Amino acid sequence: MKRQILIILFTLLSVIPGMAQGMMGVPFFENFTAQQYNAHNRNFDILCDETGHTFVANFEGLLVYDNVEWHIVHTPGISRVTDLDRDKDGRICFSGINVKGYVESVDGDSIHVVYSQSDKDATGFIHERFYESRDSIDRWNGIEVYSRLPISKNRTLLATATAGVIAIDAQGRKVWEINEQNGLCSNSITELAYDGKGSVWGATDNGLFRISVSEIYSRFGEHEGLDGQVTCMTMAQGRLFVGTLKGLFLLENGRFIKVEEVQQACWQLAETERHNAIAATSDGVFTYGHAAHRLSSNTSLSILVENDDTFLSGELDGIYRRGYDGSEQKVDDISNTVLMHRDKRGGVWAINLGGECYYLSPGAQHFSRQKEGHLSLLFEYIDDTGRHWRSRDNGEGVNTEGLKRDFALWFEPFAHYNIQAMLIDKGIAWIGGNFGLVRINLKQSEKQKPIPPQIYLRSFSLDGQNLSITVATDKHDPIGTTQYSYRLHVHGAWSAWDDDPDIDFRNLAYGTYQLTVRCRDPYGQIAETGERFFFVRYPIYLRWYALLLYVILLGVLTVTIFRYRTRQLKLRQQQLEAVVDERTMELRLAQKRLVRKEREATVGKLTKGLIDRILNPMNYINNFSHLTVGLAKDLKENLEDDEEKMTADIYDDCMDVIDMMKTNLEKIEQHGLSTTRILKAMEEMLRERSDKVEDIDLVQLCQQNIQMLHNYYKEDIEKLNIQVEWDKPQQSIMVTTNAELLSRTIMSMLANSVYAIQKKAEKQTNASGPVIRVTISQGENATNITIYDNGIGIEDTIIDKIFDPFFTTKTTAEAAGVGLYLSQQIIQDFGGNITVESEKDQYTQFTITL
């Protein structure tokens, strides 16, 4: 009987550590490939110092990592380094094939090594290290062990030849292991090194790795049999059940086993009153005791255990009350209920995908809609102590009120995790999401505290106004990232947190700076560097002696400018005095012109009024004289009819009187018409002309005037055989003027040319070859229109008077003498001029300059 009891006790003692190991999982770790550290994949030894540097004996030489960048030191002949150690002075020593030396200093990218003068002691080191006799080979449970690394009284890590890294306790029992099956880069571990800050480095024949060995954290993922994004979890019968988007999983002996009956997403898990697991899945509702059993086939999104016989199931079309015997009853039509929770009163809260909250009061038959509820679509979890855990407002991390700072530190690494499931059981916290499953040993975390970081300036490069620095910490935890912040002045603002250890400053202002850099580890612990002073030196052209020289030059320049300015002001004063005198004279002339123009305007108004008053009587005179001529004609005819009744003397006297009356009336009519023509010419002179200008094509305008000349004087041109010559330019010539007034001017001169040719033809009956020629020439600042004719010409004695108003060589009946005057006024109004050249009986040439 005693023997049987001892056997049972021995069995229990052997099972308990195994159960702990089965729930342990694997620590967080990360691999470093040859492409990452840019050296050979084979590594022989590894060692860490107190400032966060890691040294690796690599096939290509000595490899150094400063928690930011990798650096390789190629030994002479690029021979391999196979062994690392510390000498009595604490220096890192290395040796290998035909090489031996030590590290003198590490300063950023610069690594200084000293090689030994003799290499005999290094020869054959690999043979001694890896090919010792089989009698001295270390083994654990039949597995060859290259080295053992104690990290605490109760934990030793084994670097094995074929099984990766194994952690054992003081009694030699396995606590956890990491190998290729868990994602480790190699199962052949040549050496391990502890950095003293919670991480262990490993050298392998296929890269390097770093493990977080605090054992507060461990994880489960695809390598441990857990497939898919974790959505829910529960403890039932002392076993951990985890639901993912790919089914239901059960943790046994350190690995997850999939429940084959559940192939679809598992949305919620709970423990029944009979301590079985119950799962709401897309395949329906399942319970699991010793095997899986389907309770319904409808998709279930949430579940709530009521008692030994029934549970509530939130399904696509409503909430159902189902029994473990297969019975069902629809409670309400609330669709897509994703979460249900029982409060302290025994009522049930429910929330659907749309965020609508409902409440089922104790004893009520149906849910009622609530404006507000204590449930939300953000992740929430209430543990056995009633503590309410929930994600932050952005849906990341998890926290709870009243948690002590030392305890809350251990949840900081997951502040950016999208947590969707949580379970706290017997001092162990489980959190899950798209990152897999993480195990947190809360009891162990109460006894420990994260090692605070130390921050170092790995490099400091000041180039003119540009500063580049690289910072690093003495520790780096694979569970999270370290962030950095800085400020340039003691009272300045800190920069935003960033995980980039390389900090660049560009175009710094000249002067003194006080640089401080801080880091924040994954646990939220902050460390600062000591204050580093540096000075951005002023360039030579901004130093004190240069500034003094600038002041002297400025003084000399100021005096020179003052003298020069004084002379210029005197000259300017003289010029201004001359300008004032000139402007005064011009002002007086302008005043005189203004007075004259005002007088002319006044006279013009009076004249225009007189013209209007005279024109009407003149029209009467002309009309009545014309009518009276007709009456005299009629009277003459009447006398002729009564000639027989009159004496010859009376008849002759009457006829003479009537002829004299007719002649006088015709003279009156003729002079009246001339007077009217003169008055209308004066009216034309006083008429206001349009000052509207536009860009016109002068070539096209002249072409149109020549065409009108042919139309209006067709008979004269044919009768006198006038040759109209037009030297038309090939390109357009644009001028700014009034097209209508310029056209009238050109037509007036062309008409004068036809008249001059007619008068010459009257004097010279045998004259031949009459010509009218129009040409356009363009200069630098003006355009000229020339109108030439070989008509009667103009006498030298009167050529200076032809532009005077009312001067004409024509008879009073032919013209009023204002045509050339008006033409000149039109051209001058637009900034041009008209000139004339002529020779009596030879030619006349008018030039219009625009």
Side-chain angles (χ1 to χ4, degrees), residues 267-268 280 300-304 312-315 337-340:
W267 300 109
Q268 192 170 350
S300 178
L301 301 177
S302 59
I303 202 165
L304 179 67
L312 294 178
S313 174
E315 301 178 6
T337 300
V338 294
L339 182 62
M340 289 185 289

Side-chain angles (χ1 to χ4, degrees), residues 324-357:
Y324 298 103
D325 57 359
S327 61
E328 70 173 48
Q329 175 192 357
K330 192 171 186 180
V331 179
D332 219 314
D333 291 330
I334 304 171
S335 60
N336 299 322
T337 300
V338 294
L339 182 62
M340 289 185 289
H341 172 70
R342 189 184 305 278
D343 61 17
K344 295 179 181 180
R345 296 170 50 198
V348 176
W349 286 91
I351 187 171
N352 64 7
L353 277 175
E356 298 172 343
C357 289

Side-chain angles (χ1 to χ4, degrees), residues 209-321:
F209 62 86
R210 177 165 52 185
I211 307 172
S212 176
V213 293
S214 69
E215 295 186 3
I216 291 177
Y217 303 112
S218 59
R219 61 174 177 80
F220 295 86
E222 185 177 354
H223 294 296
E224 291 73 43
L226 187 61
D227 189 15
Q229 178 176 318
V230 175
T231 57
C232 54
M233 64 184 80
T234 191
M235 295 291 296
Q237 298 179 355
R239 296 183 294 180
L240 178 64
F241 290 83
V242 175
T244 75
L245 293 179
K246 294 186 177 181
L248 179 62
F249 296 84
L250 173 63
L251 181 61
E252 290 187 356
N253 297 324
R255 289 190 61 81
F256 277 95
I257 300 172
K258 186 172 184 178
V259 178
E260 294 299 330
E261 289 80 1
V262 182
Q263 295 294 328
Q264 298 295 323
C266 182
W267 300 109
Q268 192 170 350
L269 285 168
E271 185 181 17
T272 69
E273 298 291 337
R274 300 173 185 178
H275 304 293
N276 293 329
I278 185 169
T281 76
S282 296
D283 279 341
V285 179
F286 291 83
T287 60
Y288 193 99
H290 298 288
H293 175 65
R294 187 193 296 268
L295 297 179
S296 73
S297 59
N298 295 340
T299 297
S300 178
L301 301 177
S302 59
I303 202 165
L304 179 67
V305 175
E306 288 189 312
N307 49 51
D308 288 346
D309 299 323
T310 62
F311 60 90
L312 294 178
S313 174
E315 301 178 6
L316 297 179
D317 62 341
I319 298 177
Y320 288 81
R321 178 174 286 110

Side-chain angles (χ1 to χ4, degrees), residues 489-502:
H489 300 284
V490 65
H491 298 298
W494 287 98
S495 67
W497 290 106
D498 195 337
D499 55 4
D500 188 0
D502 296 319

Side-chain angles (χ1 to χ4, degrees), residues 614-615 617-626 665-681 811-816:
I614 295 172
L615 275 177
M618 288 306 302
N619 288 333
Y620 281 109
I621 292 171
N622 294 335
N623 292 335
F624 283 118
S625 62
H626 183 73
L665 289 172
E666 287 177 351
K667 291 291 185 180
I668 292 171
E669 182 181 8
Q670 180 181 355
H671 289 290
L673 290 175
S674 297
T675 303
T676 301
R677 187 180 299 109
I678 292 171
L679 290 172
K680 288 187 176 181
T811 64
T812 305
E814 291 178 325

Side-chain angles (χ1 to χ4, degrees), residues 12-224:
L12 289 174
L13 290 174
S14 62
V15 169
I16 291 173
M19 291 176 63
Q21 174 193 345
M23 301 289 282
M24 181 68 184
V26 296
F28 283 84
F29 68 91
E30 57 183 332
N31 294 315
F32 297 90
T33 65
Q35 289 76 20
Q36 288 178 276
Y37 56 75
N38 197 26
H40 200 276
N41 63 333
R42 188 174 184 184
N43 303 281
F44 303 102
D45 200 359
I46 194 163
L47 193 64
C48 300
D49 68 4
E50 296 78 12
T51 61
H53 290 92
T54 301
F55 301 87
V56 181
N58 185 265
F59 194 90
E60 292 186 17
L62 179 64
L63 191 63
V64 182
Y65 182 56
D66 59 5
N67 276 334
V68 176
E69 296 178 345
W70 293 93
H71 310 280
I72 183 72
V73 178
H74 293 289
T75 55
I78 314 182
S79 59
R80 72 190 69 174
V81 174
T82 57
D83 184 55
L84 297 172
D85 205 348
R86 287 180 180 268
D87 62 10
K88 61 181 180 179
D89 297 324
R91 298 179 302 188
I92 304 295
C93 300
F94 60 89
S95 61
I97 300 299
N98 299 324
V99 66
K100 185 178 182 181
Y102 64 90
V103 179
E104 185 176 40
S105 64
V106 179
D107 184 12
D109 297 341
S110 180
I111 303 172
H112 301 278
V113 299
V114 177
Y115 295 101
S116 173
Q117 298 299 322
S118 174
D119 56 9
K120 294 182 180 180
D121 296 336
T123 305
F125 175 77
I126 294 180
H127 174 77
E128 294 177 4
R129 183 175 179 81
F130 295 105
Y131 297 97
E132 297 175 352
S133 63
R134 288 289 178 180
D135 295 337
S136 61
I137 293 177
D138 184 9
R139 294 184 183 275
W140 177 86
N141 287 354
I143 301 173
E144 183 177 355
V145 177
Y146 283 152
S147 65
R148 295 172 180 254
L149 177 66
I151 57 176
S152 67
K153 293 181 179 180
N154 195 38
R155 195 70 75 240
T156 300
L157 303 187
L158 307 180
T160 71
T162 58
V165 180
I166 300 175
I168 60 175
D169 60 15
Q171 288 74 36
R173 294 170 298 193
K174 181 171 68 172
V175 180
W176 51 263
E177 65 178 317
I178 304 177
N179 48 44
E180 292 179 5
Q181 187 178 6
N182 304 117
L184 196 65
C185 57
S186 175
N187 280 340
S188 179
I189 315 300
T190 57
E191 190 60 72
L192 296 172
Y194 183 50
D195 65 358
K197 300 173 179 63
S199 295
V200 168
W201 284 87
T204 78
D205 59 358
N206 188 33
L208 302 166
F209 62 86
R210 177 165 52 185
I211 307 172
S212 176
V213 293
S214 69
E215 295 186 3
I216 291 177
Y217 303 112
S218 59
R219 61 174 177 80
F220 295 86
E222 185 177 354
H223 294 296
E224 291 73 43

